[in-house]
Amino acid sequence: MLSVSREAKVQFMREILLRYLPQGEQTRAQRHREYRQKIISNYQPLHRELYAMHPATFFAPQFLKAINDNTEESFRSIMSEPSPGVYTFEMFQPHFCELLLHEVENFENWVNEAKFRIMRPNTMNKFGAVLDDFGLETMLDKLMEGFIRPISKVFFSEVGGSTLDSHHGFVVEYGKDRDVDLGFHVDDSEVTLNVCLGKEFSGGELFFRGTRCDKHVNTGSQSEEIFDYSHVPGKAVLHRGRHRHGARATTAGHRINLLLWCRSSIFREMKKYQKDFSSWCGECNREKNERQRMSIAATKLELLRREGESTT
């Protein structure tokens, strides 16, 4: 019997899904495939070992052990939760961070020499590169499926953490002649992995302001939702994509971060038919609790009224 590689299966499924896209989206998807193929056909990788998953040389030993044990207890043993829904942990070895920094620098040098116009990671960042576009898609797929999804299944199940099936992987750059800061926003993801790769820098803190659904994205924050985080090279931050956040100004040096936006097509389809997001939206949860409080208060008043009537 013929065996089919995992990459071939993924490509086959993507081609099937593309057939059901509207014509305009099909055209954009086709153009992006051609754009990506043009890069991969011409760009010569500097560190080919990055393009396949090598857990023993990529990850910190304690992180790898926790993943292999694959229990909530093992995950919590390596994590801190300094603010509700924000998890931090040592993830990558310094050597991996160095290799990826060199690879990104090599890619940017090739872009400048070839005068090749590249797509930036998103509409907010004017600097940085999409890692998927120059050959790292398969490695990042394995990173999501084998290492982020098991954790997300435990901590973010209510937003599709157990069904993550696609990603957008990129690096962002902050500092002199780069982006300086990043405004208040939510990510186009269900779960976001954010890892500082280096280099030396000051400032650039992440600030978090609570998780919100589309309806409540611009509502105020409660005091317990306000949290600032200072980046440490090699250390990961994991949070819901709908957790509102931004980045303060990098005041000195040069900071580069790896971002992996992890998405669940199943969760996104189910969300279309849902109206109650109180399991993860802070404002929905407050409104639900307020309705319950008012209902209980009304019931007590009614019972007191009846008791008063019965005594008279």
Side-chain angles (χ1 to χ4, degrees):
M1 186 172 64
L2 290 174
S3 62
V4 181
S5 69
R6 179 189 163 282
E7 289 78 10
K9 290 178 182 177
V10 170
Q11 184 60 33
F12 177 67
M13 289 303 298
R14 284 177 178 155
E15 288 175 0
I16 290 175
L17 290 170
L18 281 171
R19 295 174 193 170
Y20 294 93
L21 288 174
Q23 188 60 46
E25 290 186 34
Q26 286 188 34
T27 302
R28 282 193 294 275
Q30 178 61 30
R31 285 176 179 169
H32 191 237
R33 283 203 307 272
E34 292 171 356
Y35 159 84
R36 184 175 288 183
Q37 189 56 49
K38 186 174 181 180
I39 293 175
I40 292 172
S41 298
N42 291 280
Y43 173 66
Q44 294 298 316
L46 179 65
H47 298 295
R48 291 193 178 274
E49 61 268 37
L50 286 173
Y51 292 76
M53 176 56 68
H54 300 290
T57 56
F58 285 8
F59 300 115
Q62 64 271 28
F63 173 77
L64 197 54
K65 183 181 185 306
I67 292 295
N68 290 334
D69 290 346
N70 195 26
T71 65
E72 180 175 347
E73 183 182 7
S74 70
F75 298 148
R76 288 194 181 278
S77 72
I78 63 163
M79 289 181 170
S80 297
E81 189 180 5
S83 183
V86 179
Y87 298 92
T88 66
F89 49 95
E90 298 286 343
M91 186 174 187
F92 290 124
Q93 293 189 27
H95 183 60
F96 171 83
C97 296
E98 291 173 12
L99 290 182
L100 189 53
L101 285 172
H102 292 160
E103 191 67 45
V104 170
E105 185 177 352
N106 187 63
F107 176 68
E108 290 177 339
N109 289 339
W110 174 81
V111 166
N112 292 331
E113 290 169 6
K115 293 181 170 55
F116 192 92
R117 186 175 179 180
I118 61 169
M119 296 180 184
R120 294 303 177 183
N122 52 60
T123 57
M124 299 174 289
N125 290 97
K126 296 182 176 64
F127 295 88
V130 179
L131 301 176
D132 301 316
D133 285 346
F134 61 92
L136 287 164
E137 182 181 24
T138 298
M139 187 274 282
L140 293 176
D141 256 339
K142 291 178 179 177
L143 173 61
M144 180 191 71
E145 292 174 359
F147 301 89
I148 302 307
R149 192 163 63 195
I151 298 173
S152 300
K153 181 179 180 179
V154 173
F155 298 110
F156 303 121
S157 60
E158 74 287 350
V159 293
S162 63
T163 56
L164 300 175
D165 56 9
S166 66
H167 76 266
H168 176 50
F170 56 96
V171 292
V172 290
E173 301 182 50
Y174 295 91
K176 186 179 179 182
D177 300 325
R178 296 290 189 271
D179 289 316
V180 176
D181 56 17
L182 190 63
F184 192 55
H185 67 283
V186 294
D187 295 337
D188 182 13
S189 69
E190 275 60 74
V191 177
T192 292
L193 173 72
N194 185 341
V195 188
C196 180
L197 299 175
K199 305 178 180 177
E200 294 183 2
F201 58 90
S202 299
E205 298 85 359
L206 278 179
F207 60 91
F208 290 92
R209 296 296 183 266
T211 307
R212 296 292 187 273
C213 65
D214 289 339
K215 178 183 175 182
H216 295 123
V217 70
N218 292 316
T219 58
S221 301
Q222 303 299 310
S223 58
E224 65 271 15
E225 296 177 320
I226 297 173
F227 171 65
D228 284 20
Y229 170 79
S230 297
H231 285 291
V232 177
K235 198 165 186 177
V237 183
L238 195 69
H239 60 86
R240 295 177 186 85
R242 297 295 309 184
H243 203 138
R244 302 177 301 176
H245 60 286
R248 302 194 189 284
T250 297
T251 54
H254 188 195
R255 176 170 68 85
I256 302 179
N257 281 52
L258 164 66
L259 276 295
L260 195 68
W261 287 357
C262 304
R263 298 161 175 162
S264 166
S265 57
I266 293 174
F267 175 76
R268 293 187 176 206
E269 187 62 28
M270 290 174 62
K271 196 168 72 166
K272 295 176 184 177
Y273 307 99
Q274 291 179 323
K275 294 183 180 179
D276 178 17
F277 304 111
S278 58
S279 65
W280 54 270
C281 171
E283 195 62 28
C284 283
N285 186 52
R286 271 182 285 280
E287 289 181 353
K288 183 177 181 179
N289 290 338
E290 181 62 16
R291 287 193 300 270
Q292 290 175 342
R293 188 191 66 80
M294 292 178 68
S295 176
I296 291 169
T299 301
K300 286 181 178 178
L301 282 173
E302 178 63 18
L303 290 172
L304 289 171
R305 185 186 67 79
R306 291 179 183 178
E307 185 179 331
E309 289 177 352
S310 66
T311 56
T312 58

